[in-house]
Amino acid sequence: MNELDLRNKRVLIRVDFNVPIKKEKIISDTRIIASLPTIKTALKRNAKVIIMSHFGRPPEESYDYRFSLFPIVKYLKNKLPDIQINLVKNYLGGIKANIGELTVLENVRFNQGEQENDEVLAKKYAKLCDIFVMDAFGIAHRSHASTCGLAKFAEISCIGPLFFKELEVLTRVMKNPSRPLVAILGGSKISTKFNLLNSLSKIADSIIVGGGIANTFLAIHNNVGKSLHEPNFVKSANILLNKHNIQIPIDVRVSTEFSENTVAKIKQTNNISDNDFILDFGDKTINSLILLLNQAKTILWNGPIGVFEFPNFRKGTEMIAQTIANSDAFSIAGGGDTLAAIDLFGVKNNISYISTGGGAFLKFIEDNNLPIISIIKQRVK
């Protein structure tokens, strides 16, 4: 974007404002804060600035106020008090945008064909602008009408400063990291992370796994009770474990019920009962991981290792967050749950770089590419 003349141009910026909202109050504003410099730059350069985003998963082709961007517009008005900000609900037939104002298009997922990357819809988006700026790194692994489709049909397409910074930091870690590099990968399903674990193993010296992924590794040689795991992938997990330096817990916090106020009990991983839910790491595991992280020079973190939303099962995630924050290592954190944990434990200012992407963060590490990058490179040619 910074290489283009934006004066008097209709500049449509695809942002990622898919932030957690409860009772019309924004719980985490990390993604919005990260996008503000791009918006402010376009406004200062006298563009007619339009922004678009998705929010949640509403049913297509039907307006649902629960998924409106209204709370985000309200937030933006506080952050940009001198700018006229307009939320536009019906825009596919065309809109009027003015210099010095900010036009916010209502949730793109209200439009039929958005997630299917419908060409007709993408062409309607393209008619709204002279320049399309892709700055939504968090959705960059998806081929939607407001990302890949719009990039294909807009008169001029480019990436924004935030997107560029994300690529710059991740490329640095993948190609020339300071070592040792320790990666932390949480999540529920190992089945979706095989290629990623193989890709991570090529750049990481150690990989710490958490959540349902860790439970599937534990199930190779242990009973995991009622814990979230994938029995059909235990054999595949064993192959990964034998090939790579993957750290799995030696003790865990368990409960016989999955509820917020349930009491935690620490057990060795070879002593799990049939009725147990594994919900966090135990103290021995946490202490050993702290030692490992303290030796790291680069830390890549995506996903909590336990059910940190439950007070009695947040110690593992909290201690890892605090250790990363106190470390001299270059640290990158990404993913919605990771951002929520960072906010909860108050360590935002001590993480070297917070990525706005979750799936895109992981997809770029896995493939060293994203669909939108391929399209914009082709458009440049």
Side-chain angles (χ1 to χ4, degrees):
M1 186 186 89
N2 291 337
E3 296 173 343
L4 299 171
D5 181 5
L6 307 183
R7 287 174 298 173
N8 204 33
K9 298 287 198 307
R10 295 173 302 156
V11 177
L12 175 53
I13 306 171
R14 177 54 160 102
V15 295
D16 181 9
F17 286 171
N18 187 34
V19 296
I21 295 178
K22 193 171 184 179
K23 295 181 180 178
E24 293 194 0
K25 184 179 180 182
I26 295 169
I27 308 300
S28 173
D29 62 357
T30 301
R31 286 176 173 170
I32 304 178
I33 293 293
S35 293
L36 283 177
T38 301
I39 295 168
K40 289 177 179 178
T41 297
L43 287 166
K44 284 178 184 175
R45 289 170 63 186
N46 293 320
K48 298 174 181 177
V49 186
I50 308 159
I51 61 175
M52 67 185 338
S53 177
H54 71 290
F55 172 62
R57 297 181 181 274
E60 281 192 355
E61 207 180 8
S62 60
Y63 175 81
D64 187 330
Y65 73 93
R66 293 174 301 171
F67 298 97
S68 171
L69 297 186
F70 173 76
I72 293 165
V73 170
K74 189 176 176 183
Y75 174 94
L76 289 172
K77 286 181 177 178
N78 287 327
K79 289 291 181 182
L80 303 168
D82 299 326
I83 302 296
Q84 173 68 37
I85 302 177
N86 308 304
L87 177 63
V88 180
K89 187 176 174 182
N90 301 310
Y91 49 84
L92 295 179
I95 58 170
K96 181 173 174 57
N98 300 310
I99 292 174
E101 294 182 2
L102 180 60
T103 302
V104 181
L105 307 183
E106 184 57 284
N107 191 345
V108 294
R109 286 192 175 169
F110 289 152
N111 301 322
Q112 186 177 23
E114 163 61 22
Q115 295 182 75
E116 292 76 31
N117 193 14
D118 179 71
E119 282 200 1
V120 174
L121 179 61
K123 287 175 179 177
K124 287 180 180 179
Y125 289 153
K127 287 181 180 178
L128 300 176
C129 64
D130 303 305
I131 298 171
F132 169 58
V133 180
M134 177 59 179
D135 214 30
F137 184 75
I139 195 73
H141 58 307
R142 309 284 190 197
S143 295
H144 290 173
S146 65
T147 58
C148 291
L150 181 45
K152 183 179 177 182
F153 295 112
E155 187 176 336
I156 298 173
S157 296
C158 64
I159 60 170
L162 171 60
F163 200 107
F164 181 81
K165 181 67 174 176
E166 296 270 12
L167 296 183
E168 191 177 46
V169 171
L170 287 175
T171 300
R172 167 188 160 185
V173 168
M174 291 171 66
K175 292 189 174 177
N176 190 29
S178 298
R179 296 194 178 278
L181 188 161
V182 178
I184 304 160
L185 184 64
S188 58
K189 293 185 177 181
I190 193 172
S191 57
T192 60
K193 302 284 171 61
F194 278 117
N195 292 338
L196 175 64
L197 282 164
N198 278 314
S199 296
L200 272 177
S201 70
K202 293 171 186 174
I203 62 168
D205 298 289
S206 300
I207 303 171
I208 298 167
V209 289
I213 296 175
N215 294 342
T216 303
F217 278 106
L218 286 176
I220 296 168
H221 299 299
N222 303 281
N223 176 23
V224 294
K226 294 182 177 179
S227 309
L228 176 66
H229 73 294
E230 293 180 282
N232 294 337
F233 290 89
V234 170
K235 196 175 286 186
S236 301
N238 194 25
I239 294 170
L240 287 172
L241 190 62
N242 290 329
K243 282 174 63 177
H244 307 309
N245 186 12
I246 296 173
Q247 306 290 316
I248 60 175
I250 54 175
D251 64 339
V252 289
R253 281 177 164 78
V254 304
S255 174
T256 53
E257 55 182 282
F258 188 86
S259 64
E260 188 170 356
N261 298 315
T262 188
V263 177
K265 185 176 182 180
I266 296 179
K267 286 189 175 184
Q268 301 301 301
T269 52
N270 62 359
N271 192 33
I272 306 301
S273 303
D274 290 342
N275 291 325
D276 284 336
F277 290 92
I278 300 173
L279 302 178
D280 194 11
F281 288 174
D283 290 345
K284 289 180 183 176
T285 301
I286 292 169
N287 290 335
S288 69
L289 296 181
I290 287 172
L291 290 174
L292 181 66
L293 289 168
N294 282 336
Q295 295 169 8
K297 292 288 188 272
T298 305
I299 300 171
L300 197 67
W301 179 23
N302 188 288
I305 58 170
V307 187
F308 73 96
E309 298 90 345
F310 295 176
N312 294 331
F313 298 95
R314 66 176 49 149
K315 186 174 181 180
T317 303
E318 182 174 12
M319 292 306 295
I320 279 183
Q322 296 291 352
T323 303
I324 295 172
N326 294 330
S327 171
D328 292 329
F330 180 77
S331 53
I332 307 176
D337 288 337
T338 311
L339 299 186
I342 286 169
D343 286 339
L344 177 64
F345 303 128
V347 296
K348 185 187 291 187
N349 295 333
N350 295 316
I351 306 292
S352 306
Y353 186 77
I354 296 178
S355 174
T356 56
F361 175 98
L362 299 176
K363 189 68 176 171
F364 188 73
I365 292 170
E366 184 180 321
D367 295 342
N368 198 24
N369 196 17
L370 292 166
I372 190 74
I373 298 174
S374 299
I375 290 172
I376 291 181
K377 280 183 177 178
Q378 190 61 41
R379 290 297 311 276
V380 170
K381 287 180 184 177

